[in-house]
C-alpha cells in the first residue's frame, strides 16, 4: 500500500502506528517504508501530490497496489476530528471529477471533496475541501485499478472552527485520534488489493519454467498461458515441471504440456 | 444492499427515481453530470466492483430499442432488445457482461415511458408478423424488480399493447410481481438453466434449480406463458447425464399449455470480451476449457459444440414438440467475404 500525506504533522502518527522507517537517500520526498506499506510526505498542493505519486510509482512499480491520499481537509458540515472517505473528488480548476468506487464497508463517513489550488476562505457547500486529492487521483489511476485509489481525510476545520483558528500543535493529536477508524479501512483495502494480485508462487514458477529451456519469446507467451491454465485446472506444479524437464526440445515441451492438459479441460 | 447511489443531475425529479430512493432511505447520494462519467472510464476492475456494486440512476437518451440479429429469436418476425438496466444481480462466471462493461455498477434508466413510446412506435409500423422485445440482454429482467419496478410498470402498458410481445429473461425465483397480476399472453417469462452442479460452480447468487422450478410452477398456474432457456450450454464431466437429469427435472413439472418455447444457446463470447473475462478470473477452469477462437468469438471447438448441441436437441425433442424448440444459429466458422 502507498500512502500520500501532505504534511509531516499528519504523517507522524501514521509512521508510528504502522512502524515505518525512514528510507535514506530518498532526496525528492521524505519516504517511510515498512513490510506492506510505503508512506511519502508530498508537501502541500496538487503538483506536489502528483509528483509524489509518480516518484513512489517509479520506486515501487508493482501493479495493483492500493494508493491512499490521507490527510486533513476542511469541511462544510462534518465536525473537526471526524474522518471521511471521498466518494467524489472534484478538481476546482479543471472541473474534472473522480468517483473512487466505495467497495469497503466502513464506519467512516463519506462525502464529496473539492480540491483547489488555493485555500478557500469559506465553506460554500456541505462537502470537504482540500488541496491535493484530485491531482492524487489523476496520477494514481495510471498506477493501479480505480477501486484501489482512495482518499481519506480528517476534518481539521469547518465553519465553526475556521482554518485560521487551526492550532498546528494539535495536528498530530487530531490525526492520532482518527486512526482507530482509519486503520480498519486500510486493512480492508489491502485485502482487496491482494485479490487482484497474481499469487507470487505461480509467478515464480513461471519464471522458473522459462529458465528450464531456451524458449523463444513467442514460446514463453504460449508457456505462460499454458501454465496459467494448468494452475486453473488444478495441475500440480511438480507435474508440469516434470513434463517440461522430460521433453526434448522447447517445442516438444509445450506440445507435451498442452497434450496432458487436454485431459483436464473439462468443468468438474 | 445498495448504500451508495449516484444520480445524474436532474434525474431525481423523475417519480421512478424517487421510488428507488424510498427503497434505500439510508443510501448516500452522489450527483454526477452523466452516468458515463462513472460507468465508462477505463482502469476499473469489474470483478472487484461485483463484490459491492453501487446503483447509478440515469436517463436513457438516443437509441432506446435495438434490432436483434435475425438468427436469435423465438419465432417472431421482428426482434428487438432494450435495456432499462445495465448489469445483473447475479455473478455468473460465463456472463459476457463482465467482458463488455467496464464497471459492475448497476445503471438504471428511469425513463421507462420513453422505452414504451419507442416500443409502441415499432409495433405500429405496418409490418407483418409478431414483434418481440427482449428485456434481458444486459440484465436479469426480474431479479431486481423490488428496486426497479420494471415489470410492474410494463405490464399495464403491454396489456394495452397486445401487438408487442415481451420476453422477460431471468434466473430469479422471485416471481411475486407476476403472481399478483392477471396473466398476459404477450409476456413470456423465460428462465435460464444449467445443470445444478455447474450452477453451483459458476452462478454466484442464483437460486437453485428447484426454487426456480417452483417459481415457474406458481406463475404457470396463474396462466403466464413460460420459456426455458438452456443457455449457455457448458461442456463438463458427465455432460450427458447432467443435462438429461436437468431436462428430466424441468419438463415433467411444466404443463404443456404453459410452455411457450425452449431455446438452446451455445457458449460464445466476442474475443475481446473473452480476453477481459480471462484477465479478471485467471484461475477459472471454464476459461481453460476446450475453447477456440472462431471468427470474432471464442466458443467451444466446433466438433464439441456440434456434438453437445445435437445431444441436447435430441433429448429435448423427446420431451417437447419441435415447434417449441429454437436454436440460436451461428456461423462462427464462416470466412469473411473477400
Amino acid at each position: 500500500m502507498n500512502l500520500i500525506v501532505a504534511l509531516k504533522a499528519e504523517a507522524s502518527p501514521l509512521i508510528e502506528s504502522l512502524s515505518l522507517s525512514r528510507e535514506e537517500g530518498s532526496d525528492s520526498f521524505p519516504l517511510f517504508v515498512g513490510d506492506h506499506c510505503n508512506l511519502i510526505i508530498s508537501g502541500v498542493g496538487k503538483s506536489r501530490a502528483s509528483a509524489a505519486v509518480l516518484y513512489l510509482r517509479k520506486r515501487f512499480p508493482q501493479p495493483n497496489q492500493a494508493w491512499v491520499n490521507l490527510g486533513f481537509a476542511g469541511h462544510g458540515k462534518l465536525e473537526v476530528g471526524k474522518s471521511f472517505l471521498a466518494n467524489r473528488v472534484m478538481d476546482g480548476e479543471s472541473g474534472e471529477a473522480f468517483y473512487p468506487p466505495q467497495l469497503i464497508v466502513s464506519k467512516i463517513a463519506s462525502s464529496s471533496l473539492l480540491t483547489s489550488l488555493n485555500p478557500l476562505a469559506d465553506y460554500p457547500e456541505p462537502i470537504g475541501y482540500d488541496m491535493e486529492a484530485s491531482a492524487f487521483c489523476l496520477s494514481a489511476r495510471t498506477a493501479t485499478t480505480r477501486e484501489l485509489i482512495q482518499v481519506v481525510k480528517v476534518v481539521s476545520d469547518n465553519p465553526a472552527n475556521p482554518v485560521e483558528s487551526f492550532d498546528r500543535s494539535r495536528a498530530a493529536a487530531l490525526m492520532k485520534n482518527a486512526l482507530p477508524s482509519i486503520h480498519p479501512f486500510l486493512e480492508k483495502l489491502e485485502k482487496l488489493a491482494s485479490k487482484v494480485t497474481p499469487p507470487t508462487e505461480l509467478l515464480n514458477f513461471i519464471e522458473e519454467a522459462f529458465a528450464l529451456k531456451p524458449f523463444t519469446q513467442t514460446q514463453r507467451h504460449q508457456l505462460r498461458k499454458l501454465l496459467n491454465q494448468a494452475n486453473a485446472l488444478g495441475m500440480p506444479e511438480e507435474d508440469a515441471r516434470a513434463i517440461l524437464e522430460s521433453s526434448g526440445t522447447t517445442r516438444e515441451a509445450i506440445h507435451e504440456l498442452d497434450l496432458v492438459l487436454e485431459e483436464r479441460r473439462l468443468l468438474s | 444492499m445498495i448504500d451508495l447511489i449516484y444520480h445524474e443531475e436532474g434525474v431525481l425529479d423523475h417519480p421512478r427515481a424517487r421510488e428507488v430512493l424510498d427503497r434505500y432511505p439510508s443510501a448516500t447520494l452522489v450527483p454526477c453530470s452523466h452516468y458515463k462519467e462513472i460507468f465508462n472510464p477505463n482502469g476499473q476492475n469489474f470483478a472487484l466492483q461485483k463484490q459491492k456494486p453501487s446503483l447509478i440512476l440515469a436517463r436513457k437518451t438516443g437509441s432506446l430499442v435495438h434490432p436483434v440479429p435475425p438468427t436469435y429469436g423465438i419465432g417472431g418476425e421482428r426482434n428487438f432488445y432494450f435495456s432499462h438496466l445495465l448489469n445483473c444481480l447475479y455473478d455468473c462466471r460465463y456472463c459476457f457482461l463482465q467482458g463488455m462493461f467496464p464497471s459492475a455498477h448497476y445503471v438504471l434508466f428511469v425513463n421507462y415511458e420513453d422505452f414504451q413510446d419507442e416500443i409502441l412506435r415499432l409495433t405500429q409500423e405496418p409490418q407483418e408478423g409478431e414483434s418481440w422485445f427482449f428485456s434481458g440482454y444486459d440484465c436479469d429482467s426480474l431479479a431486481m424488480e423490488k428496486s426497479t419496478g420494471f415489470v410492474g410498470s410494463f405490464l399495464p402498458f403491454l396489456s394495452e399493447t397486445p401487438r408487442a410481445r415481451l420476453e422477460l429473461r431471468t434466473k430469479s425465483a422471485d416471481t411475486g410481481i407476476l403472481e399478483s397480476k392477471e396473466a398476459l399472453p404477450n409476456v413470456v417469462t423465460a428462465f435460464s438453466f444449467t445443470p445444478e452442479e455447474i450452477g453451483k460452480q459458476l452462478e454466484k447468487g442464483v437460486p437453485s434449480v428447484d426454487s426456480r422450478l417452483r417459481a415457474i410452477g406458481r406463475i404457470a398456474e396463474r396462466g403466464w406463458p413460460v420459456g426455458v432457456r438452456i443457455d449457455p450450454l457448458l461442456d463438463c464431466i458427465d455432460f450427458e447425464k447432467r443435462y438429461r437429469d436437468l431436462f428430466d427435472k424441468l419438463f415433467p413439472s411444466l404443463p404443456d399449455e404453459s410452455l411457450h418455447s425452449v431455446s438452446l444457446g451455445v457458449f460464445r463470447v466476442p474475443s475481446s470480451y473473452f480476453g477481459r473475462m480471462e484477465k479478471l478470473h485467471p484461475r477459472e477452469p471454464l476459461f481453460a476449457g476446450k475453447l477456440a477462437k472462431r471468427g470474432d468469438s471464442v466458443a467451444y471447438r466446433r466438433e464439441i459444440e456440434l456434438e453437445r448441441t445435437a445431444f441436447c436437441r435430441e433429448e429435448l425433442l423427446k420431451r417437447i414438440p419441435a415447434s417449441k424448440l429454437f436454436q440460436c444459429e451461428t456461423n462462427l466458422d464462416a470466412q469473411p467475404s473477400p
Side-chain angles (χ1 to χ4, degrees):
Chain A
M1 174 178 299
N2 295 309
L3 302 174
I4 311 289
V5 184
L7 300 169
K8 187 163 188 302
E10 298 166 311
S12 297
L14 278 160
I15 292 166
E16 192 185 324
S17 68
L18 294 167
S19 307
L20 306 179
S21 23
R22 174 84 191 248
E23 188 178 80
E24 298 305 323
S26 51
D27 301 332
S28 308
F29 297 94
L31 175 62
F32 297 82
V33 296
D35 287 343
H36 304 288
C37 185
N38 312 305
L39 184 152
I40 195 164
I41 299 178
S42 65
V44 175
K46 290 199 275 187
S47 59
R48 299 286 301 167
S50 193
V53 170
L54 297 178
Y55 178 83
L56 209 49
R57 187 188 161 198
K58 200 171 169 190
R59 177 72 185 75
F60 300 101
Q62 296 90 330
N64 299 323
Q65 297 179 76
W67 288 75
V68 182
N69 174 217
L70 218 157
F72 290 134
H75 202 283
K77 190 178 173 188
L78 294 177
E79 61 192 63
V80 170
K82 182 106 176 162
S83 42
F84 69 89
L85 275 169
N87 53 38
R88 178 172 68 149
V89 179
M90 298 163 288
D91 186 278
E93 280 68 39
S94 71
E96 194 171 358
F98 304 88
Y99 299 87
Q102 308 284 291
L103 307 186
I104 292 171
V105 178
S106 165
K107 288 180 179 169
I108 306 177
S110 82
S111 171
S112 288
L113 177 69
L114 175 70
T115 302
S116 53
L117 271 179
N118 301 305
L120 296 183
D122 56 3
Y123 310 82
E125 291 183 67
I127 61 172
Y129 297 90
D130 89 326
M131 295 174 67
E132 290 86 27
S134 66
F136 160 78
C137 290
L138 186 64
S139 302
R141 74 185 182 186
T142 63
T144 194
T145 181
R146 288 175 190 247
E147 295 73 22
L148 302 178
I149 302 171
Q150 297 292 333
V151 176
V152 184
K153 295 285 172 177
V154 177
V155 178
S156 56
D157 49 281
N158 61 17
N161 306 277
V163 68
E164 307 82 64
S165 65
F166 182 63
D167 177 2
R168 287 179 181 273
S169 66
R170 285 188 55 236
L174 202 61
M175 180 59 77
K176 192 174 180 180
N177 290 342
L179 289 183
S181 66
I182 293 172
H183 275 314
F185 173 81
L186 296 180
E187 282 162 20
K188 287 178 185 173
L189 188 65
E190 186 69 11
K191 212 169 166 186
L192 198 65
S194 70
K195 290 187 178 172
V196 283
T197 310
T200 323
E201 308 79 45
L202 178 60
L203 294 176
N204 291 342
F205 176 58
I206 291 172
E207 285 305 316
E208 189 194 317
F210 285 169
L212 288 174
K213 290 187 192 306
F215 294 104
T216 64
Q217 275 307 317
T218 308
Q219 287 174 331
R220 283 180 172 220
H221 179 71
Q222 292 169 334
L223 185 57
R224 178 181 286 111
K225 183 164 185 169
L226 285 174
L227 291 173
N228 272 312
Q229 291 182 336
N231 179 263
L233 295 167
M235 175 189 268
E237 281 179 9
E238 54 269 28
D239 291 6
R241 187 185 292 108
I243 291 164
L244 295 174
E245 282 174 343
S246 65
S247 32
T249 64
T250 53
R251 199 173 162 189
E252 285 165 357
I254 288 170
H255 180 67
E256 282 298 313
L257 182 59
D258 195 16
L259 269 185
V260 175
L261 279 180
E262 181 69 7
E263 293 157 26
R264 293 175 171 259
R265 293 185 190 278
L266 264 185
L267 282 174
S268 55
Chain B
M1 179 62 190
I2 302 288
D3 53 23
L4 181 73
I5 300 178
Y6 301 101
H7 61 88
E8 289 182 351
E9 283 152 9
V11 88
L12 295 186
D13 297 336
H14 195 287
R16 187 154 299 105
R18 303 300 323 171
E19 284 169 24
V20 173
L21 295 189
D22 286 347
R23 283 206 57 80
Y24 301 106
S26 56
T28 301
L29 301 183
V30 178
C32 62
S33 304
H34 195 278
Y35 80 89
K36 289 181 180 175
E37 271 187 283
I38 296 155
F39 195 74
N40 279 16
N42 56 13
Q44 303 189 73
N45 186 300
F46 189 100
L48 284 183
Q49 287 188 13
K50 198 71 193 163
Q51 295 181 20
K52 193 167 176 289
S54 296
L55 175 63
I56 306 174
L57 297 176
R59 189 181 289 272
K60 179 74 175 165
T61 56
S63 183
L64 299 173
V65 179
H66 312 274
V68 169
T71 52
Y72 292 64
I74 43 176
E77 296 292 316
R78 306 170 76 210
N79 298 297
F80 304 93
Y81 77 95
F82 65 98
S83 301
H84 70 288
L85 179 66
L86 308 183
N87 277 321
C88 178
L89 183 67
Y90 308 125
D91 188 7
C92 299
R93 195 54 74 244
Y94 50 73
C95 180
F96 71 97
L97 294 179
Q98 61 194 319
M100 183 167 78
F101 291 146
S103 165
H105 292 324
Y106 307 117
V107 181
L108 177 66
F109 297 112
V110 296
N111 50 327
Y112 297 169
E113 62 283 357
D114 293 334
F115 289 104
Q116 291 169 2
D117 287 348
E118 182 62 2
I119 289 170
L120 189 62
R121 188 187 69 74
L122 287 164
T123 53
Q124 285 171 342
E125 283 178 353
Q127 294 279 339
E128 296 276 316
E130 297 173 341
S131 292
W132 276 91
F133 297 88
F134 297 86
S135 69
Y137 268 41
D138 295 331
C139 66
D140 184 294
S141 303
L142 262 183
M144 292 184 72
E145 178 64 17
K146 285 195 168 71
S147 301
T148 66
F150 166 71
V151 179
S153 162
F154 266 67
L155 292 183
F157 164 73
L158 289 157
S159 152
E160 291 169 7
T161 319
R163 288 190 65 186
R165 292 169 182 271
L166 178 72
E167 184 200 79
L168 300 170
R169 178 77 71 101
T170 192
K171 286 195 182 88
S172 175
D174 186 357
T175 47
I177 184 67
L178 296 167
E179 291 162 48
S180 68
K181 307 281 183 191
E182 284 295 310
L184 297 176
N186 54 334
V187 176
V188 172
T189 308
F191 294 81
S192 308
F193 289 97
T194 56
E196 194 87 60
E197 301 87 342
I198 297 292
K200 281 179 184 161
Q201 294 174 59
L202 302 179
E203 298 172 346
K204 193 175 165 193
V206 173
S208 67
V209 169
D210 285 337
S211 67
R212 278 177 280 164
L213 268 177
R214 286 193 291 274
I216 292 181
R218 290 194 299 272
I219 63 168
E221 198 175 303
R222 295 277 306 171
W224 290 96
V226 296
V228 169
R229 306 290 174 251
I230 307 299
D231 189 356
L233 215 52
L234 294 167
D235 194 21
C236 59
I237 291 171
D238 292 335
F239 176 90
E240 296 188 357
K241 180 183 182 310
R242 287 178 179 182
Y243 274 88
R244 198 182 287 121
D245 287 352
L246 175 67
F247 301 157
D248 282 344
K249 207 169 194 180
L250 289 177
F251 294 105
S253 61
L254 267 173
D256 285 349
E257 62 280 12
S258 298
L259 183 63
H260 172 272
S261 54
V262 177
S263 69
L264 201 50
V266 295
F267 174 71
R268 171 196 340 105
V269 182
S271 304
S272 57
Y273 298 0
F274 185 82
R276 281 178 222 138
M277 291 159 70
E278 219 180 2
K279 215 170 168 182
L280 287 170
H281 302 286
R283 278 159 267 171
E284 173 51 60
L286 170 69
F287 301 148
K290 295 178 182 177
L291 304 169
K293 190 166 185 300
R294 296 171 55 194
D296 291 334
S297 297
V298 171
Y300 282 110
R301 295 172 203 157
R302 190 161 184 271
E303 67 279 10
I304 294 170
E305 185 179 284
L306 288 174
E307 190 187 317
R308 300 311 195 201
T309 309
F311 171 81
C312 287
R313 191 176 166 79
E314 193 183 320
E315 287 296 317
L316 286 167
L317 288 174
K318 289 178 189 167
R319 295 160 175 87
I320 58 163
S323 61
K324 291 192 176 183
L325 180 60
F326 298 89
Q327 194 171 331
C328 293
E329 300 293 342
T330 57
N331 197 12
L332 294 179
D333 306 300
Q335 294 299 312
S337 305

